[in-house]
Amino acid sequence: AAGGERLPYRVGPGDGLEVVVDGRPDLSRLPTVQTTGSVWLPRAGEVEVRGLSTGEIATRLTPLLAGEDLAAPRVAVRVKEYQSQFVWVRGAVQRPGRKPLRSGTRLLDALLDAGGFQEGASGEVAIERGAGTFADGSRAKHFHFGGTSPTPLALDELGLRLVNGDVVTAGVQLWVSVSGAVKSPGRRPFEDALTVSRLVEAAGGILRAGSQRVVLRRNGGEVEADLRAILEGKAEDVVLAPGDEVVVRARRP
């Protein structure tokens, strides 16, 4: 499963903690982890907590807070402010930028923190792992989320746990267009390896009044192609790029 087990959050400098000692408000505090990686607490003094989970911090503090008046302190620790670790969300989202990594932050949480997809997003999401790798040894993962009701697989992928330094990029939908003597002219989503002949086929094919001669418009220039020659294997099919326009000419009278 993409989600995997929930990994414990490990605190770092800048994180705000809440330390509660049961029945002893005088020993309870809201310390911030310092740049040295430690917090200061009454009775315990300076305590190194960098890289520890909240449970490990509580275990470390328990004997330090014990005393004649408190033989077996019950200590609870939670992260009140997540400030030490971040992921970046960029691309076609409402609020791109740095997002705090919280306990168990999933891909879905990061996308929601960024306000969700913008209009015009393709649904393609890439995650680059800055430190370390994913469970399968890869440094990047690519997902596609389409439609209004996520499939079970998509829900599993959205549950992927993120780690500090991950970069999430939401892709923008790219387009090509086809016009002229085809059954269904208009704009179509760009796909890798899309060719002139495949685009004309996706547009329903050429009308009876159309010719096999087509024009590819790209970056202000024009290139002619012969569909018949392409289909007969006598000419190479042209691979399209985002923004290309294919015009199917009418047959000369």
Side-chain angles (χ1 to χ4, degrees), residues 39-47 61 64-65:
V39 294
W40 185 90
L41 292 165
R43 187 175 287 183
E46 292 280 339
V47 182
L61 291 176
L64 299 176
L65 295 172

Side-chain angles (χ1 to χ4, degrees), residues 182-239:
V182 290
K183 291 179 182 175
S184 301
R187 194 172 66 161
R188 278 177 168 69
F190 171 77
E191 300 170 5
D192 287 334
L194 182 63
T195 62
V196 167
S197 67
R198 281 183 54 209
L199 179 60
V200 171
E201 183 183 356
I206 298 172
L207 295 173
R208 187 173 296 174
S211 79
Q212 297 292 322
R213 306 291 296 182
V214 300
V215 174
L216 170 62
R217 292 177 178 162
R218 176 182 292 173
N219 298 329
E222 291 190 355
V223 177
E224 288 209 0
D226 185 337
L227 274 180
R228 180 174 283 112
I230 290 170
L231 295 174
E232 291 175 354
K234 296 176 182 176
E236 196 171 338
D237 208 349
V238 182
V239 178

Side-chain angles (χ1 to χ4, degrees), residues 77-130:
V77 180
R78 74 179 184 96
V79 181
K80 195 171 175 66
E81 292 183 20
Y82 293 91
Q83 294 292 339
S84 72
Q85 299 170 51
F86 298 89
V87 296
W88 278 259
V89 185
R90 63 189 186 185
V93 291
Q94 302 289 348
R95 296 188 299 275
R98 192 174 75 164
K99 309 298 174 186
L101 184 72
R102 301 178 180 87
S103 178
T105 291
R106 303 163 298 166
L107 173 57
L108 174 62
D109 302 319
L111 291 171
L112 289 175
D113 266 4
F117 292 133
Q118 287 179 347
E119 186 177 349
S122 66
E124 301 286 343
V125 174
I127 308 171
E128 300 167 66
R129 183 135 290 177

Side-chain angles (χ1 to χ4, degrees), residues 13-29:
D15 284 336
L17 305 182
E18 181 178 39
V19 179
V20 176
V21 184
D22 195 25
R24 294 296 299 267
D26 58 312
L27 296 178
S28 301
R29 286 293 187 277

